[in-house]
Amino acid sequence: MKLELGNFYVKDVKFGDITAYENGILTINKEEALAYVMEDEHITEADIIIAKPGESKRIVPVKEAIEPRCRVNGNPVFPGVTGGMTPAGNGRTHALKNTSVLAVGKHWGSFGDGMIDMSGEGADLTYFSRLINICLVADTDEEFERFEQQKKNKALRWGAMRLSEYVGNAVKELEPEDMETFELEPIIKRDEKTNELPSVVYVMQPQSQMEESGYNDLLYGWDTNRMVPTFMNPNEILDGAIISGSFMPCSSKWSTYDMQNCPTIKELYKEHGKTINFLGVIMSNLNVAMEQKERAAAFVAQMAKSLGADGAILAEEGYGNPDADFIACFDALEDAGVKTVGITNECTGRDGQSQPLVVLSEKANAIVSCGNVSQLIKLPAMDEVIGELAALGRDGLSGGWEGDEKLGPSVREDGSVILENNSMFCGDQVLGWSQKTMKEF
């Protein structure tokens, strides 16, 4: 499989008479874009607002982030989701870099939503403050989940995907500014030099714990709760085969944008044939019952061993109950002779003194920490709120609250906020581009 990713580097986004891209400027016909999004009868009101790095803007509740893209051959960017079931990871896809489409609630938030500050201290706590964000701010008629703490947010998430495809088509016929090529030789047909290098597999554990459909990450439109560990070409992940779900404390979330640009996969590609033999990706899952966790771990270990892996990088989306899957997989890989490094965040309490993972193991002796989800954060007011600030406390966003006997409400009268790191949209970036570092004392 050979994926050609043609990149266009956006310097500015503005509204205009046509949707087009020229000399780094992305122009969007707002009326046309909104009409396209609102073809979905479940979206009752919508607006598009642009947020740029350095602006005094706070965006909340953020439900999803997507990189605007198009497939040159006309196939859907997200096969099995925004169109028919077509292969991903092969051919040419065009991408608008330095920008993302955000799905933002106009009135209501939920457990899996988060916050982005475009400037100040809060901007350091999420990657998306670096991007020019095209915010689809909308409401829906999904009354069945209006007051639920956990929402599927389907209409808004699908609306953002459709908007990203609409915007991405602006560069469909243009020549890219540069081209990234991703291609792995078949495992059994690699040259002698590559075969002599340490073989590494990347094990991804996307969120898949909800047994009711509509909450979990989707793989080619298939609910990941229904899957067993599966070997995949890494190009598929980079090319829209998997989309983010809505069930996940938000700092732990893997947005669709993150998976389209997965830094760990790209780094493994860079080292392939130089320092490692990158075998590919084992897409695993996160489960509820212990028997399911053990079964998935056994599948992963057997697959890695059969592929000839000497080492593995293991990443989980989430914390708490998923820690049991993470450690079970860690143990199974180590028992199979596959040296493993894990990447995860921690839940160590507001004072940082609690056990970092729900389950620990002596075999899991190489883990990269991406931060503490419970860390308390205080941030000043911003000049503008995109969405609704009250959602941070009123609707139970992970990390926000309506009232606390010691700390008071998350949202203060002056517009400042106090919250946990949990609320920072995709803030821990387990997929590889966390801005956080360890501090030595």
Side-chain angles (χ1 to χ4, degrees), residues 88-130:
N90 200 47
R92 180 183 286 196
T93 294
H94 286 178
L96 286 160
K97 312 305 289 186
N98 304 326
T99 186
S100 78
V101 172
L102 299 181
V104 184
K106 192 174 182 65
H107 297 298
W108 306 94
S110 71
F111 183 72
D113 301 341
M115 188 179 86
I116 298 170
D117 275 2
M118 297 303 296
S119 63
E121 181 183 344
D124 293 333
L125 301 175
T126 170
Y127 178 84
F128 292 90
S129 63
R130 306 177 185 181

Side-chain angles (χ1 to χ4, degrees), residues 33-310:
L34 284 172
Y36 182 69
V37 168
M38 293 193 71
E39 288 177 2
D40 184 341
E41 62 182 8
H42 295 292
I43 297 180
T44 57
E45 54 180 312
D47 194 8
I48 298 173
I49 301 173
I50 298 169
K52 303 175 184 179
E55 293 181 334
S56 183
K57 292 181 179 180
R58 175 164 289 153
I59 313 170
V60 64
V62 184
K63 303 170 182 294
E64 170 67 301
I66 303 151
E67 183 170 76
R69 291 185 175 186
C70 69
R71 291 191 198 278
V72 174
N73 65 6
N75 285 348
V77 174
F78 303 106
V81 179
T82 57
M85 179 58 220
T86 57
N90 200 47
R92 180 183 286 196
T93 294
H94 286 178
L96 286 160
K97 312 305 289 186
N98 304 326
T99 186
S100 78
V101 172
L102 299 181
V104 184
K106 192 174 182 65
H107 297 298
W108 306 94
S110 71
F111 183 72
D113 301 341
M115 188 179 86
I116 298 170
D117 275 2
M118 297 303 296
S119 63
E121 181 183 344
D124 293 333
L125 301 175
T126 170
Y127 178 84
F128 292 90
S129 63
R130 306 177 185 181
L131 305 177
I132 301 173
N133 293 303
I134 303 164
C135 304
L136 174 64
V137 187
D139 199 12
T140 79
D141 66 358
E142 296 163 317
E143 297 295 334
F144 70 96
E145 63 181 18
R146 176 76 75 194
F147 300 103
E148 294 295 324
Q149 187 182 49
Q150 180 60 55
K151 299 177 177 63
K152 297 178 182 179
N153 289 318
K154 181 175 181 180
L156 287 184
R157 293 192 292 127
W158 261 244
M161 280 187 283
R162 296 185 74 233
L163 179 58
S164 72
E165 288 187 326
Y166 167 84
V167 172
N169 276 323
V171 296
K172 183 177 180 181
E173 306 296 333
L174 303 181
E175 191 62 30
E177 294 162 31
D178 73 28
M179 187 81 72
E180 293 178 277
T181 301
F182 300 95
E183 184 176 19
L184 284 180
E185 312 90 334
I187 292 174
I188 62 170
K189 295 183 178 180
R190 296 181 181 175
D191 60 50
E192 184 177 349
K193 176 187 173 184
T194 301
N195 283 329
E196 288 176 353
L197 296 170
S199 296
V200 177
V201 68
Y202 184 33
V203 182
M204 301 177 70
Q205 294 179 311
Q207 181 49 237
S208 52
Q209 287 190 295
M210 294 293 281
E211 296 186 351
E212 180 182 343
S213 63
Y215 296 99
N216 297 312
D217 296 5
L218 298 180
L219 187 63
Y220 286 107
W222 184 256
D223 192 314
T224 49
N225 182 262
R226 310 288 189 262
M227 64 174 279
V228 294
T230 303
F231 183 65
M232 297 183 67
N233 189 294
N235 292 6
E236 296 176 276
I237 289 88
L238 297 177
D239 198 33
I242 184 167
I243 69 163
S244 177
S246 67
F247 174 67
M248 178 47 53
C250 201
S251 71
S252 306
K253 184 194 290 286
W254 299 352
S255 73
T256 299
Y257 182 100
D258 297 325
M259 290 183 276
Q260 290 173 300
N261 293 279
C262 182
T264 301
I265 288 178
K266 289 190 174 184
E267 286 299 317
L268 288 166
Y269 252 117
K270 286 180 183 178
E271 294 303 315
H272 177 66
K274 299 176 183 176
T275 62
I276 62 167
N277 178 9
F278 180 26
L279 299 174
V281 174
I282 298 176
M283 188 65 67
S284 187
N285 52 356
L286 299 168
N287 304 279
V288 177
M290 185 55 68
E291 178 189 5
Q292 296 168 349
K293 297 175 187 291
E294 293 171 345
R295 183 182 297 112
F299 265 99
V300 169
Q302 176 275 125
M303 207 174 295
K305 193 66 175 176
S306 297
L307 290 167
D310 300 304

